[in-house]
Amino acid sequence: MTSQPPSPPQQPEQPAEAVPTCYRHPEKETWVRCQRCERPICPDCMRDAAVGFQCPECVAEGNKGIRQARSTFGGSVVSTPIVTYAILALTVLVFGAQYLTDNAVGGALAMWPPAVAEGQYYRLVTVAFVHSTGSFLHILFNGWAIFVIGPYLERAFGHLRFAAVYLLSALGGSVLGLWLDPLPTATVGASGAVFGMFGAMFVVGRKLKLDVRGITLVIGLNLVITFVMPAISGLRISWTGHVGGLIVGTLLAAALAYAPKSNRTLWQVLAIVGALAVLAALVMVRTSAIMSGAG
């Protein structure tokens, strides 16, 4: 009779290792962990990092410490000059509406001092979107200038600052016309805003130490045309609109470009609000004089 060797003792069964699941999607299994917080994350939650992947919360937290890119003079970085394109589109739409309404739209939006004195202040700005229907050269010249110069200035200043330069230049031209043009004189055109952009281009070039002889020549030639053409051809050109826009655009652009880098945004906002306040005060004084019969 042979004896059997004793059986080895039975080992207790080991539990299977728990499969980790995504902390944001518990129903999804995953073996990938966030490189920052080490929580498990599924493919839907993986965000590329310098090494491995991170979860959305860690990526958002890390982005808080990243300084946002700014334009040359403190505005938002511009990839598409949407303000310039919006101005051009609105100008073309208004020009088309002028033809469709037999220029009734032009009459309602043009700069007309008696109407402004009666409270139609919107005309001081809407004049920049109205053009003479008697000649396509008027809208073509202004439209081309906006198309060429607008994107450059919008990228330098950002959307909002560029819009302020454009609109306040238009307003500046209207205000000078309100003060110096004969009362029954109607004015149309974006020339005041365009001259303001000319002045802003000069300021930007000087600030960035670029060659400004080209824009200086453009400003000089256009000022000569402004004063000489009416004398030799009888063509009426609003010199007040051109000069007023040039003055306001140049001064405002200088305030924006040369604002101290510490608290630059605050100084720029104060410059824009201050320019608007001065122009509004000039409008109030002049309209009061017109209504009282002193104009």
Side-chain angles (χ1 to χ4, degrees), residues 129-187:
F129 300 96
V130 183
H131 288 80
S132 172
T133 56
S135 173
F136 281 100
L137 290 178
H138 191 206
I139 189 173
L140 285 177
F141 173 81
N142 286 337
W144 175 251
I146 295 169
F147 178 77
V148 172
I149 301 175
Y152 177 82
L153 291 177
E154 191 168 350
R155 290 188 175 99
F157 288 113
H159 299 305
L160 296 179
R161 291 163 178 80
F162 167 70
V165 170
Y166 187 88
L167 295 175
L168 288 178
S169 295
L171 178 60
S174 296
V175 170
L176 191 61
L178 184 67
W179 275 82
L180 300 181
D181 284 343
L183 282 183
T185 303
T187 306

Side-chain angles (χ1 to χ4, degrees), residues 29-168:
E29 298 180 357
T30 181
W31 293 95
V32 178
R33 292 182 178 274
C34 171
Q35 294 296 310
R36 189 169 180 176
C37 67
E38 297 187 350
R39 290 179 293 185
I41 50 177
C42 68
D44 291 339
C45 299
M46 295 177 187
R47 303 293 184 267
D48 289 327
V51 178
F53 300 96
Q54 291 185 6
C55 66
E57 292 180 10
C58 288
V59 170
E61 185 66 26
N63 288 338
K64 291 180 180 179
I66 299 176
R67 185 176 181 182
Q68 298 298 315
R70 309 297 292 177
S71 67
T72 305
F73 300 113
S76 57
V77 173
V78 174
S79 56
T80 302
I82 57 176
V83 174
T84 299
Y85 294 157
I87 290 170
L88 286 171
L90 185 56
T91 301
V92 172
L93 287 175
V94 171
F95 191 70
Q98 289 181 250
Y99 268 98
L100 293 176
T101 61
D102 195 22
N103 208 32
V105 169
L109 301 179
M111 172 58 188
W112 178 248
V116 173
E118 293 176 357
Q120 297 179 19
Y121 301 115
Y122 62 87
R123 291 176 178 267
L124 296 164
V125 175
T126 57
V127 60
F129 300 96
V130 183
H131 288 80
S132 172
T133 56
S135 173
F136 281 100
L137 290 178
H138 191 206
I139 189 173
L140 285 177
F141 173 81
N142 286 337
W144 175 251
I146 295 169
F147 178 77
V148 172
I149 301 175
Y152 177 82
L153 291 177
E154 191 168 350
R155 290 188 175 99
F157 288 113
H159 299 305
L160 296 179
R161 291 163 178 80
F162 167 70
V165 170
Y166 187 88
L167 295 175
L168 288 178

Side-chain angles (χ1 to χ4, degrees), residues 13-21 29-31 33:
E13 185 176 349
Q14 299 293 323
E17 182 178 356
V19 177
T21 59
E29 298 180 357
T30 181
W31 293 95
R33 292 182 178 274

